[in-house]
Amino acid sequence: MAGSNLLTQIDTIDLNDLVYVERDLNFAQKVGLCFLLYGDDHSDATYILQKLLAMTRSDFRQSDLLMQYAKSRPETWKRHLVEALCIVGARQVLRRLGFRWHELRMHYLPHINGIALHVHPLLKSLYKICEELSLAQSGRLVLDVGEKVARQQAGDPLRFYHHTYLEVFLLDWLTRRCIRLGDINATGSDVQLLIEHLKFNDLQEQARLLIDTINSNAPDEDQTVAPPLTIKRETQPDSQQASSCSTGSAASSSASIRRRNALQLSRENAGIVLIINQQCFHRHVTEDLKKYLSPKELQNRDGTDVDNDRLIKVFSSMGYNVESHDNVNHLGIMDLIRRACDRSLLRDSLVVCILSHGFEEAVYGANSIALRITDIENLLCSYETLYNKPKLLIIQACQEEVVKKDKQNQLGLPFKIDVTTQSPCQHVNMVRAMSTVTGFPALRHTHKGSWFIQSLCDAIDQHSASEHIADILMIVTNEVSKKRGKNDESMVPKSNSTFVQHVYLPPRL
C-alpha cells in the first residue's frame, strides 16, 4: 500500500466502525487514546477528564468516546484517530480496520518520540513518558507535581488515586493550565513543572525528551528552549549546610559526601510504621492448623506495651503514620503488612515492628502459629510500591533453636507463606533488625520493656539528627551488648542490611 493508498484507506473508515473499535480497546488504551486526541484543546480536555473519571468509578465501562470525538471534528478525526491508534499500539484494532502495521509504522513513525503528523507532538512525548515510568515513579510524579499545583491554585483537588493512569493526572494539570502544550509547533508551551521533577528524580532521559520535542518542533531557532538547570538532591537543611561551610575542610568534605550519596527521608512523606504487638496468646485454631501450634503454651509478654508506647512516640515525632495492632493471628500479620505495602506508593519508607515470642528465624502470631521471618521480608520486597525504598523490619522475639525432636516430627514449624521475589534487585534497601543473634533468647523487663526496643528508641532520640540508620543500629548493638541482667544475662542484637546509600530518618519535632 503506497502512501496515497494508505490515505485512501483511512478515508474509508466509517463512523459506525467506531463502535467496534472502542469495544476492542482495553481501558488503558482508551485512556491513552483520549489523552492523545482530546488533550490539545482545553474544553475538550475538561470534557474527557470528567468522562474518564466517571468510567473509573463504574464497573460498566462501555462508552462512545471515539464517536463523540469524530462528531466534534468531522473533517480531521480519521487521520488523527489512526495516528493515535498507532501510538498506543492498538495493532489488532488497526488490522480489523484493514491496515497493515508495517506500512502504518513507516508512515506515522510511532516508535520515534517527539515527531507527529496530526497528534500534538508534546502529547505523544508525554504519553511515551507515561508508558516508561514505573508505578512508583508515576506515584512520585503525581505527589510532587500535584503538591506544586495545589500551592499555585485554589479549587478542589483531583479525587483520583489510580497512578497507573498517569494520563488522567496530566489532563487535570492541562485543564488547570499548570502545564501548557502551546500550538502544534509547541510554541507557547510550558512543561517546566514536569521537566524539573524528572531531572530531580534522575529521569534525565524523559526530561530530555520533553526539551527535545519542544526544540525540534520550534519553527525558528530563537524559539528553542534552553535546558533548565540540573536540580541536585540535597539531604541537609539550610542551617546544616551553612554550618558546614564554616567548619574545617574535613567537616566540609563529610557534608559534601552526605549530600551526594545520602537519602534524607522527609517528615511529609515519611511513611507507615506498622506495629504488631503480641501480648496474649491462644491455641484455638482449626484442626488443619494444629500441627503448626507451638510445642509449648506461650506465656503472656508482660512489658510489651511499654515497648509499643515508646515506638509510637518516637516514630510519630518524625512524621510517621503509626498503626499499632494488638494480638494478631499469623495470617492477620501478613494481611496487615500487605495493606501497608499497598498504601506505600507515595511514601518514602515503610517500617514494620513485630513484638512477639519466636524461635530460630521465626516469629509467632497470637494464635501460637509462627511465620518465617524470611517470608515476611520477601513480602516487603515483592511490592513495586516499595521498590528501591527503605524498608525496615524490626523483630523483638527470642531466636532460640528449635528442639531437635520437634524438628524431626515436623511439629510447631513455621506456617509457609507462598511469597517470592523475581529479582535480587527487589531486595535493595531492605534492613532486618533483630533483637538477638540466632540461638539465644531476647530479654524483656516486665515493667521497663525490652532491652532492644528501648535501646533502639533511645538511639533514635539521641542520634537520628546526625547518624544514618545503619549506624544507629550499630550504636544499639554496642549499647545492648554491654548490658547485664541480675543473673549476668546478656544479649547481642543483630542487623542485616542491603542499603546502597546512607539513609537518614526524618527530622524530629
Side-chain angles (χ1 to χ4, degrees):
M1 189 188 297
S4 58
N5 291 335
L6 176 60
L7 298 180
T8 301
Q9 178 71 16
I10 291 174
D11 289 336
T12 64
I13 301 175
D14 188 80
L15 273 175
N16 294 324
D17 294 330
L18 299 183
V19 176
Y20 304 100
V21 169
E22 194 157 342
R23 185 187 62 189
D24 290 340
L25 294 169
N26 60 45
F27 186 66
Q29 289 175 319
K30 288 181 183 179
V31 172
L33 205 62
C34 290
F35 176 71
L36 293 167
L37 295 176
Y38 286 95
D40 61 350
D41 182 271
H42 183 268
S43 59
D44 286 346
T46 304
Y47 160 78
I48 202 61
L49 175 62
Q50 297 307 314
K51 290 282 286 187
L52 290 174
L53 290 174
M55 289 173 67
T56 61
R57 295 166 186 151
S58 171
D59 294 330
F60 185 71
R61 290 184 173 178
Q62 287 194 1
S63 58
D64 60 348
L65 303 173
L66 299 184
M67 186 70 75
Q68 293 298 322
Y69 176 76
K71 290 178 179 179
S72 68
R73 291 174 168 84
E75 302 298 325
T76 61
W77 69 268
K78 296 178 181 180
R79 297 182 184 184
H80 282 73
L81 173 62
V82 172
E83 182 176 18
L85 287 169
C86 288
I87 294 172
V88 301
R91 299 190 188 189
Q92 181 178 346
V93 171
L94 290 165
R95 280 197 299 269
R96 290 186 178 182
L97 289 173
F99 296 104
R100 297 175 182 173
W101 174 252
H102 71 277
E103 293 169 344
L104 289 171
R105 190 172 186 271
M106 292 299 295
H107 184 74
Y108 287 112
L109 304 175
H111 55 293
I112 299 180
N113 298 331
I115 298 177
L117 291 180
H118 309 296
V119 171
H120 196 290
L122 268 176
L123 287 176
K124 180 179 179 181
S125 293
L126 289 169
Y127 173 79
K128 293 294 185 181
I129 290 173
C130 292
E131 291 295 292
E132 291 171 358
L133 296 188
S134 68
L135 184 61
Q137 290 169 332
S138 297
R140 178 64 61 192
L141 187 148
V142 168
L143 178 65
D144 182 32
V145 176
E147 286 180 347
K148 293 176 181 176
V149 169
R151 288 197 295 267
Q152 291 178 7
Q153 292 190 349
D156 294 333
L158 179 67
R159 303 191 186 280
F160 181 71
Y161 309 100
H162 300 287
H163 305 108
T164 305
Y165 308 116
L166 184 55
E167 298 94 331
V168 173
F169 295 91
L170 291 172
L171 282 170
D172 179 57
W173 299 333
L174 283 167
T175 61
R176 297 173 188 268
R177 293 190 169 89
C178 296
I179 59 175
R180 300 173 186 267
L181 301 176
D183 62 19
I184 194 62
N185 296 314
T187 302
S189 61
D190 182 3
V191 289
Q192 195 67 21
L193 274 176
L194 301 177
I195 292 173
E196 289 179 357
H197 170 86
L198 294 170
K199 280 184 166 288
F200 186 83
N201 287 274
D202 297 325
L203 296 168
Q204 303 293 338
E205 183 177 341
Q206 287 76 16
R208 173 55 60 184
L209 171 58
L210 294 181
I211 295 168
D212 288 347
T213 299
I214 296 171
N215 287 345
S216 62
N217 286 278
D220 299 311
E221 289 186 5
D222 59 350
Q223 292 183 346
T224 60
V225 297
L229 294 175
T230 300
I231 301 171
K232 295 184 178 179
R233 185 182 301 240
E234 295 290 339
T235 62
Q236 288 184 303
D238 291 343
S239 59
Q240 288 181 330
Q241 293 176 37
S243 63
S244 295
C245 293
S246 62
T247 59
S249 59
S252 176
S253 174
S254 176
S256 174
I257 292 173
R258 178 175 175 179
R259 285 195 300 270
R260 187 165 58 249
N261 298 327
L263 173 62
Q264 173 71 64
L265 302 180
S266 68
R267 286 187 53 82
E268 294 74 19
N269 302 305
I272 296 170
V273 171
L274 175 65
I275 304 174
I276 308 296
N277 181 37
Q278 313 286 42
Q279 202 272 337
C280 301
F281 297 84
H282 67 87
R283 302 173 70 83
H284 308 303
V285 300
T286 57
E287 193 66 32
D288 60 313
L289 292 177
K290 286 186 176 180
K291 63 182 179 180
Y292 297 107
L293 286 172
S294 61
K296 297 180 180 179
E297 185 172 338
L298 300 176
Q299 301 301 310
N300 289 349
R301 297 183 61 256
D302 297 330
T304 188
D305 288 340
V306 179
D307 287 344
N308 182 52
D309 293 343
R310 185 79 189 281
L311 287 168
I312 292 173
K313 180 179 180 181
V314 167
F315 280 99
S316 296
S317 72
M318 295 184 288
Y320 278 97
N321 179 18
V322 181
E323 303 173 2
S324 177
H325 301 268
D326 294 334
N327 305 324
V328 184
N329 291 347
H330 71 294
L331 292 181
I333 294 173
M334 300 303 277
D335 182 59
L336 287 171
I337 294 173
R338 286 190 176 97
R339 284 194 273 166
C341 292
D342 284 333
R343 292 178 287 124
S344 293
L345 176 64
L346 304 183
R347 316 276 187 163
D348 286 348
S349 61
L350 175 64
V351 181
V352 175
C353 307
I354 302 180
L355 317 177
S356 185
H357 289 304
F359 57 90
E360 184 179 2
E361 284 295 308
V363 63
Y364 279 110
N367 57 351
S368 302
I369 295 177
L371 294 170
R372 293 174 60 204
I373 297 173
T374 299
D375 287 344
I376 298 173
E377 186 174 317
N378 284 341
L379 180 63
L380 291 169
C381 294
S382 67
Y383 273 78
E384 187 179 358
T385 54
L386 288 164
Y387 183 75
N388 211 30
K389 295 181 182 179
K391 300 167 283 291
L392 182 56
L393 176 60
I394 299 171
I395 303 289
Q396 166 61 40
C398 293
Q399 291 294 288
E400 293 169 294
E401 294 182 2
V402 179
V403 177
K404 187 175 182 180
K405 180 182 67 173
D406 296 328
K407 185 181 292 187
Q408 290 173 343
N409 295 334
Q410 296 290 299
L411 296 176
L413 297 183
F415 186 89
K416 183 70 175 71
I417 300 294
D418 185 17
V419 56
T420 57
T421 51
Q422 305 302 315
S423 166
C425 294
Q426 290 177 270
H427 291 263
V428 165
N429 282 335
M430 176 73 216
V431 175
R432 184 202 293 192
M434 304 289 298
S435 56
T436 178
V437 294
T438 303
F440 294 92
L443 303 176
R444 167 178 37 86
H445 194 284
T446 56
H447 300 295
K448 298 180 181 179
S450 66
W451 288 10
F452 174 62
I453 295 298
Q454 294 301 317
S455 292
L456 174 64
C457 292
D458 287 343
I460 292 174
D461 278 342
Q462 297 167 19
H463 303 289
S464 62
S466 58
E467 305 294 341
H468 54 82
I469 292 175
D471 274 359
I472 288 174
L473 292 175
M474 183 178 67
I475 291 170
V476 173
T477 299
N478 182 46
E479 290 299 317
V480 173
S481 65
K482 295 177 182 178
K483 288 179 177 286
R484 293 294 181 270
K486 288 184 178 179
N487 298 314
D488 203 36
E489 300 96 337
S490 63
M491 190 176 82
V492 177
K494 175 184 177 183
S495 60
N496 297 323
S497 168
T498 58
F499 274 172
V500 295
Q501 59 195 139
H502 291 170
V503 179
Y504 290 81
L505 290 165
R508 301 179 66 240
L509 289 176

